[in-house]
């Protein structure tokens, strides 16, 4: 097993807030970081000493970047897997390209999990309006149409309630390759966040109950309560299967619906995750530190709760302007991402509150 020692340089694809928090955790362990992104700057630029602006399609720039670092990781999944394959020919990349391929394609993702025995919503591939109408006839009209690729925080989705909604939904997503998912009756939403080391060791954090508003995560709270905790064991078993099947190294997140039939898989993210931000103060070892430990071949840290109760709330848009009031709360830990413009639906930061 390859060990990347402190003092080495970690390359990060993407320079957003997740890259920022990975870079902070890396620095605390004695690592340097180097960001590669198409943009000229971003939240990670404030904390990472090196930033290379380059396209993910630029093989020469990727090769030069790979040669300048000791291991490469990524902070989001909307990266062409071929870029990761180019990097892998020049050095170590964790996680690998296969995790991106599965997570980027909703149909592949659902099929992958179903084939492992996981419970999913009923789904069907949609490439045309005729496909959509046939899928509605099979699955039912209470459903959600989602673009097969890209889309996050509720984007690229349209809800259907009756067969007559088909044309409007198809137009709403831009008449592109999609997946129709049958409506799932659920009580709560939760996530399973794990770290898998290069040696195959897996550690889980407590699963938080997640509350979304307008398709964007609003709060994550742990412990989640009896209803979710009764379903965590099965969800963890599936998440571990997914990680093993992908030969995954790093932090991996799977989101679930807690239903009467058990945990229903919703989607996965091959990276550190918004619903795990609470772990910075709320766990013995954060998801960001354990991601660094995993990709560098170090022993994984303790994932136990560090308080009786932990709540993370996203600061969306102008909510970030509440920073002064938040800082008067002795239980609050404020994180602002350094974004210069607050826009509706934009994650500007988060605040974590601990009950000791």
């Amino acid at each position: 097993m390859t060990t990347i020692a402190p003092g080495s340089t970690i390359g990060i694809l993407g320079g957003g807030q997740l890259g920022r928090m990975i870079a902070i955790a890396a620095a605390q362990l004695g690592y340097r970081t180097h960001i590669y992104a198409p943009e000229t700057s971003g939240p990670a630029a404030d904390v990472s000493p090196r930033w290379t602006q380059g396209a993910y399609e630029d093989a020469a720039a990727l090769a030069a970047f790979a040669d300048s670092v000791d291991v490469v990781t990524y902070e989001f999944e909307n990266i062409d897997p071929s870029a990761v394959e180019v990097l892998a020919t020049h050095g170590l990349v964790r996680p690998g390209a296969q995790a991106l391929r599965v997570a980027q394609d909703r149909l592949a993702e659902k099929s992958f999990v179903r084939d492992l025995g996981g419970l999913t919503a009923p789904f069907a591939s949609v490439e045309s309006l005729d496909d959509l109408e046939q899928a509605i006839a099979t699955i039912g009209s209470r459903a959600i149409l989602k673009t097969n690729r890209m889309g996050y925080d509720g984007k690229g989705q349209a809800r259907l309630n009756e067969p007559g909604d088909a044309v409007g939904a198809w137009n709403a997503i831009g008449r592109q390759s999609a997946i129709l998912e049958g409506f799932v009756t659920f009580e709560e939403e939760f996530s399973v966040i794990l770290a898998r080391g290069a040696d195959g060791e897996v550690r889980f954090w407590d699963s938080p109950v997640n509350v979304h508003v307008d398709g964007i995560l609003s709060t994550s709270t742990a412990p989640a309560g009896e209803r979710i905790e009764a379903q965590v064991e099965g969800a963890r078993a599936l998440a571990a299967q997914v990680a093993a099947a992908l030969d995954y190294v790093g932090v991996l997140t799977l989101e679930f619906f807690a239903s009467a039939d058990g945990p229903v898989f919703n989607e996965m993210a091959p990276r550190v995750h918004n619903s795990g931000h609470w772990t910075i103060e709320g766990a013995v070892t954060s998801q960001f530190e354990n991601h660094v430990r995993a990709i560098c071949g170090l022993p994984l840290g303790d994932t136990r709760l560090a308080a009786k109760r932990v709540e993370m709330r996203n600061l969306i848009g102008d909510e970030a302007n509440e920073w002064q009031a938040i800082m008067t709360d002795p239980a609050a830990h404020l994180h602002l991402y350094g974004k210069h413009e607050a826009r509706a639906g934009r994650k500007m930061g988060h605040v974590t509150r601990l009950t000791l």
Side-chain angles (χ1 to χ4, degrees), residues 68-144:
S68 73
V69 301
D70 298 287
V71 62
V72 175
T73 191
Y74 41 85
E75 63 131 24
F76 74 127
E77 59 268 40
N78 291 331
I79 299 169
D80 191 332
S82 63
V84 174
E85 290 172 344
V86 169
L87 291 166
T89 63
H90 293 269
L92 189 61
V93 183
R94 291 171 168 167
Q98 183 59 17
L100 286 178
R101 288 195 191 90
V102 172
Q104 285 179 356
D105 187 299
R106 295 185 192 276
L107 185 62
E109 180 184 62
K110 286 284 195 301
S111 300
F112 182 80
V113 169
R114 181 190 59 191
D115 292 346
L116 289 174
L119 179 64
T120 73
F123 63 91
S125 175
V126 174
E127 297 293 336
S128 66
L129 181 58
D130 286 344
D131 285 349
L132 177 55
E133 291 171 342
Q134 291 178 27
I136 290 171
T138 302
I139 291 174
S141 56
R142 291 194 70 204
I144 301 177

Side-chain angles (χ1 to χ4, degrees), residues 28 97 103 128 135 143 190 201 203 220 222 250 260 275 296 314:
Q28 290 174 331
S128 66
F190 68 99
E201 180 189 3
R203 294 198 180 185
S220 292
S275 67
C296 292
N314 274 328

Side-chain angles (χ1 to χ4, degrees), residues 37-280:
E39 301 83 16
T40 57
S41 185
D46 294 337
V47 297
S48 180
R50 296 191 64 189
W51 181 294
T52 293
Q53 181 187 13
Y56 294 126
E57 300 77 28
D58 188 336
L62 288 169
F65 172 70
D67 290 341
S68 73
V69 301
D70 298 287
V71 62
V72 175
T73 191
Y74 41 85
E75 63 131 24
F76 74 127
E77 59 268 40
N78 291 331
I79 299 169
D80 191 332
S82 63
V84 174
E85 290 172 344
V86 169
L87 291 166
T89 63
H90 293 269
L92 189 61
V93 183
R94 291 171 168 167
Q98 183 59 17
L100 286 178
R101 288 195 191 90
V102 172
Q104 285 179 356
D105 187 299
R106 295 185 192 276
L107 185 62
E109 180 184 62
K110 286 284 195 301
S111 300
F112 182 80
V113 169
R114 181 190 59 191
D115 292 346
L116 289 174
L119 179 64
T120 73
F123 63 91
S125 175
V126 174
E127 297 293 336
S128 66
L129 181 58
D130 286 344
D131 285 349
L132 177 55
E133 291 171 342
Q134 291 178 27
I136 290 171
T138 302
I139 291 174
S141 56
R142 291 194 70 204
I144 301 177
L145 184 66
K146 301 179 180 180
T147 55
N148 201 37
R149 301 181 68 84
M150 309 295 282
Y152 60 94
D153 288 343
K155 299 177 178 68
Q157 301 184 15
R159 186 178 293 272
L160 294 85
N161 291 303
E162 55 187 43
D165 293 337
V167 173
W170 181 239
N171 290 333
I173 67 160
R175 294 175 295 214
Q176 57 184 303
S177 179
I179 181 173
L180 185 72
E181 298 180 8
F183 188 79
V184 175
T185 300
F186 64 93
E187 297 159 332
E188 292 177 304
E189 297 178 75
F190 68 99
S191 48
V192 170
I193 308 169
L194 66 83
R196 186 172 187 269
D199 60 356
E201 180 189 3
V202 174
R203 294 198 180 185
F204 297 94
W205 284 269
D206 281 51
S207 284
V209 55
N210 299 324
V211 176
H212 292 79
V213 176
D214 297 328
I216 302 174
L217 181 67
S218 177
T219 62
S220 292
T221 307
E226 293 182 0
R227 189 157 43 197
I228 286 174
E229 288 171 4
Q231 301 196 10
V232 164
E233 183 178 354
R236 284 183 173 183
L238 176 63
Q241 280 185 281
V242 169
L246 294 172
D247 194 22
Y248 196 90
V249 177
V251 169
L252 172 69
T253 307
L254 274 69
E255 296 182 74
F256 291 89
F257 300 117
S259 79
D261 298 320
V264 178
F265 170 80
N266 181 27
E267 61 186 19
M268 62 175 276
R271 53 173 170 79
V272 291
H273 195 259
N274 194 178
S275 67
H277 288 358
W278 63 268
T279 64
I280 297 173

